[in-house]
Amino acid sequence: MWLYLQNETDFFIKNYKVLHIAPEQEFLRKFKRMSNLNYISADLYSPIVDVKADILDLPFEDESFDIIFCNHVLEHIEDDAKAMSELYRVMKPGGWGILQVPMKNSLEKTYEDFSIKDPKERQKHFGQYDHVRWYGMDYFDRLEKAGFETEINFYSQKFSEEEIKNTG
């Protein structure tokens, strides 16, 4: 994500109001120090965020944020349509976001089964004990249904072998 922001956006130079849901600690630390950002982190459980917030009922006004980051959150949320709708509600017109989820490109349709409650069964079915789905290629349709315009971007596929080695 860092390389995408650095190489493909004006994130590091333009003034933005940013919402980061369930922020990764390293990003949180770096983004908070950036003087061009009005950076707000939010999570329901994390003790290190600015705002304790449920993604299904965000405590922010409509059209509040220029940029929204929500990475590896939606696969944990049963009502992901409501979560997507809330993210869209708080995004300003013309805003943009990065909403990453684990995907199986081989799946046309998202695989979810909310009757699976046992952590071991969830691990077996969804790849992690606390996930409730594997997203398929319909992920983008789901975002569009919430109002987003989507761009399918597998940015990491642009990296050369040398670039991959240098990031490790």
Side-chain angles (χ1 to χ4, degrees):
M1 186 169 96
W2 188 272
L3 289 175
Y4 176 82
L5 293 172
Q6 181 179 297
N7 297 336
E8 307 294 332
T9 76
D10 56 5
F11 179 78
F12 295 100
I13 56 173
K14 191 172 176 187
N15 292 334
Y16 284 118
K17 187 172 182 185
V18 178
L19 175 62
H20 197 163
I21 301 291
E24 303 82 357
Q25 285 190 25
E26 190 62 21
F27 286 143
L28 180 139
R29 191 174 60 75
K30 289 180 178 180
F31 293 164
K32 273 212 163 301
R33 291 192 313 232
M34 292 173 56
S35 61
N36 66 307
L37 301 180
N38 177 357
Y39 177 80
I40 298 171
S41 59
D43 189 283
L44 188 56
Y45 302 112
S46 174
I48 63 171
V49 296
D50 300 313
V51 178
K52 204 164 241 347
D54 183 344
I55 196 170
L56 298 176
D57 186 22
L58 292 171
F60 307 110
E61 292 184 20
D62 295 359
E63 302 177 356
S64 297
F65 297 94
D66 300 297
I67 299 172
I68 295 175
F69 298 131
C70 182
N71 298 319
H72 297 279
V73 173
L74 295 172
E75 66 273 13
H76 298 268
I77 309 297
E78 281 195 25
D79 192 356
D80 68 333
K82 174 67 173 152
M84 290 174 191
S85 174
E86 275 294 279
L87 293 171
Y88 184 76
R89 178 185 67 77
V90 301
M91 181 181 282
K92 290 180 183 178
W96 56 273
I98 297 178
L99 288 73
Q100 297 182 70
V101 296
M103 292 184 70
K104 284 192 173 182
N105 300 349
S106 60
L107 289 177
E108 186 175 315
K109 187 171 172 18
T110 294
Y111 169 56
E112 54 194 356
D113 183 344
F114 304 126
S115 70
I116 301 171
K117 303 290 186 193
D118 179 69
K120 288 180 182 173
E121 285 299 306
R122 283 186 172 177
Q123 172 77 39
K124 188 167 76 175
H125 285 264
F126 308 120
Q128 191 167 309
Y129 74 95
D130 58 349
H131 288 188
V132 297
R133 70 180 55 79
W134 267 113
Y135 282 99
M137 293 308 291
D138 66 333
Y139 174 59
F140 307 100
D141 296 330
R142 293 163 84 113
L143 287 169
E144 289 171 1
K145 191 172 180 184
F148 290 101
E149 292 178 26
T150 61
E151 174 187 320
I152 299 172
N153 189 333
F154 297 104
Y155 193 68
S156 62
Q157 293 177 0
K158 294 181 179 183
F159 299 148
S160 68
E161 288 294 325
E162 188 64 29
E163 288 171 318
I164 292 169
K165 285 179 190 175
N166 288 336
T167 61

